[in-house]
Amino acid sequence: EIKLPEQFNFARHILELNQDRAGKTAYIDDNRKLSYGELAQASRRFAAGLKLAGIHREERILLVMQDTVDMPVALLGAMLAGIVPVPVNTLLPAADYSYMLEHSTASAVVVSEALWPVVQEALAALATQPKIIITGQGAASVAGALSFASVLDTAPLAEADFARTRADDFAFWLYSSGSTGRPKGTVHSHANLFWTAELYGKPVLGVRESDLVFSAAKLFFAYGLGNALTFPLSVGATTVLMPERPTPPAVFKRLTEHRPTVFCGVPTLYVAMLASDELPAKEQVALRICASAGEALSREVGERFHHHFDCHILDGLGSTEMLHIFLSNREGDVHYGSTGRPVPGYQLELRDDNGHAVPNGEIGDLYIRGPSAALLYWANREKSRSTFVGDWVKSGDKYSIDADGYYTYAGRSDDMLKVSGQYVSPIEVESALMGHDSVLECAVIGVPDADGLTKTKAFVVLRHPESACGELEDDLKKFVKSRLAPHKYPRDISFVQLLPKTATGKIQRFKLRAAEGH
Ligand code: 3SK
C-alpha cells in the first residue's frame, strides 16, 4: 500500500521523478518543444520569478492561459514555490474573470497574450489590481505588466528554497459551476494530484513512458489537467498541447502529424470527428487507447470509433471535486453504453432520498469516497457542507448498477446540464435571456440529439409575440453568447405563448421535457 510522506510537493515530486529524463521531450506545442530538463529549469525559474515579483506562499495566482508549454511551467513553478495556481477556462466573459479574481483575491494574473483584451476588461471592474504577467510580447504595451519571459529570466529556485509543503496543503484550485450561484473555488491538495495518477492514470488509462499523449480537453479542466500533466509527467511520457478550440480538423492535424498513442476527448468531439469527411484512416494515426468523460458516451459512438480505428474509448466519470475519473471502463472490459465499474481505490454508493443504499437495478444518487477528493469550496461553507459529507462526496449524478456491477448513467440530481462535456446551468441561461428586451419569460431544458448528446433548448415567451422570427432567434442566441461562455447558448429556441407552471408560479420544466418526448 502506498503511503505519502507528510511533507510532499507534487511539482517537486515530478521534477525528481524525471531527473534522469533531462533530454527527453516532455511537451510539444505548435512552436516549441520542452525537454524534461528544460521543463524543470523553467519551472524553477518561474517559481523564483514569482517570488521576486513579491508573490508569497499560499497566495493565489489566476492562470488565464491557452495550452502551450508555458502553462505546465506556470502550474509547476507556482506549486514549487507553494503559490496556489488557479487555472481557469479561457472562454469566459470578462465578468466571470472579475468574479474569480476578486473571490480568489489573486495576487497575480498570468495571461496568454491573445486573451489579454478580455482580462483587461475584467481588471477594469476591480478595486484592487493584481500583478499582471503576459506571455509573448503582450506586456510591452501594458503599464506595469511583466512579461512571462522576464519572470523566467532569473536564477532557478534553489532546491533548499522549494516550498516545504505538506501532502495535504492547498496546491491549486479549479472553479466548478453549480445550478445556482457563482462558480465554486474547489481547493485541491498536492496529494490529490498524486492519487489520480496512481489510481486512474497508470492502472486504468494505462499511460506509460513510451506514450505520446494528446488531450483535446484543456489543462484548465480537471479532466485535461490529469490527461496532459499529472499522468504523462508521472510516468515520463511526452504530451502534445494544442492552444486552439478542439474542432475535428484541429484534432485530426495533431492525430496525424504527431501520431499520439493516447487521446482524451469528450463525446461531442468523438461524434463530430466520426461525422467529419476528413476523419483520418486507421493507418494515419497511431492510437493505442482513448478516454472519454464529461458526459455519457453512447454505445453507437463507442462502437463506431472502435470499428474505425481498432482502438477502444474508455468512457469514465470524474468530477472537479474528485479531480479525475473514479468510475470507468477499462481495457479488456469495455462495455459501451455503460460508464464501467469503480476505479479501485474509490468506493461508490448509490443512495435514495433518505440516504439509504439502493438495491441493484434501481436509480440512486451517486456518492464517492477516495483519496483525491477536494478539501473544500473556498469561502463557501454551505456548499462545502452539502457536497463533502463526512468521507463522502456527493456527485450530483444519478446512476444504476446492473447485476454484474456495471454503472449506467441516469441523469443529474439537480437541474444542471452537461453540454460538450461542460456544465450548463439552465437558470444562468434563462437569466441571460431575460436580459434581452424582447423576452417576457423563458425556460431552458436539455434535449438529447440523435447521438444522445444533450443540447440546450429555450422556450421563450415574447413581450410582443408577433415579433417571433428566425432573425430574432439568431439575435437571442448571439445575445446569450455575448454574455456567457460560448458553450452555454441555447442551440434551439422555441417561441411559445405561455410556460407550464405550478399553482405557485414555478416553471414545470419536466412538462417541457415530456412534451419533447423525454
Ligand atoms: O466530467 C467529467 O467526467 C470529469 C472527468 C475527469 C475529471 C473531471 C471531470 C469533471
Side-chain angles (χ1 to χ4, degrees), residues 11-12 22 54 65 79 81 149 151 165 170 269 275 280 283 285 293 325 342 396 401:
R12 179 179 201 148
M65 297 181 78
M79 284 194 269
V151 178
T165 53
F170 299 166
L269 177 60
E283 296 68 33
V285 306
I325 289 174
I401 314 177

Side-chain angles (χ1 to χ4, degrees), residues 63-68 71 86-94 96-97 100 110-116 118-119 216-221 242-246 422 485-487:
L63 308 184
V64 192
M65 297 181 78
Q66 291 169 327
D67 278 18
T68 71
M71 177 68 148
V86 186
V88 296
N89 193 324
T90 51
L91 294 173
L92 298 178
D96 285 5
Y97 295 129
M100 289 166 179
V110 187
V111 194
S112 291
E113 191 176 3
L115 303 170
W116 170 245
V118 63
V119 175
K218 305 291 180 194
L219 282 160
F220 59 73
F221 289 121
M242 175 177 84
E244 73 257 38
R245 280 189 49 232
Q422 297 180 68
H487 68 281

Side-chain angles (χ1 to χ4, degrees), residues 221-224 226-227 292-295 316-326 418 421-423:
F221 289 121
Y223 180 45
N227 303 335
S292 179
E295 59 185 314
L317 175 74
S319 69
T320 305
E321 288 72 11
M322 294 307 296
L323 190 53
H324 216 276
I325 289 174
F326 47 80
K418 268 279 180 99
Q422 297 180 68
Y423 283 113

